[in-house]
Amino acid sequence: MSVTVTNNSSKTINVNPLYFAITDANGTKHAAELGMDEDQIATVDLAPGENVIGTVTGKGKFKAKTVSFTDGLIGKAVRANVS
């Protein structure tokens, strides 16, 4: 699935494909799979106001309900519905 991360904060955030998780329609959480898509979201530092677009892919067949991004491995998580 294609995702856009926009930094609406006043600090730089780190984006990494490993910081994403996908929750399916049954409530099961799937970690992002690396190297599965040539358009995989990049590992970048986003300054305030910047954004990055890329693909997040999960292993197996499932219907995605939400995707979550955590700023760093222990940062605050943000979740968005999948459309």
Side-chain angles (χ1 to χ4, degrees):
M1 82 184 65
S2 179
V3 297
T4 302
V5 176
T6 302
N7 183 355
N8 293 322
S9 74
S10 60
K11 298 180 181 179
T12 298
I13 63 171
N14 305 98
V15 177
N16 184 308
L18 295 174
Y19 298 168
F20 289 86
I22 304 164
T23 303
D24 66 25
N26 296 323
T28 303
K29 197 173 194 176
H30 303 265
E33 286 285 307
L34 299 179
M36 299 300 289
D37 192 302
E38 64 184 43
D39 295 324
Q40 176 177 292
I41 197 151
T43 300
V44 297
D45 291 327
L46 289 182
E50 291 184 331
N51 66 46
V52 63
I53 299 171
T55 301
V56 175
T57 306
K59 185 176 183 179
K61 287 192 171 193
F62 57 90
K63 181 171 174 72
K65 183 176 180 183
T66 63
V67 63
S68 60
F69 166 74
T70 303
D71 181 14
L73 293 175
I74 57 172
K76 183 178 177 183
V78 179
R79 184 182 335 168
N81 290 327
V82 174
S83 57

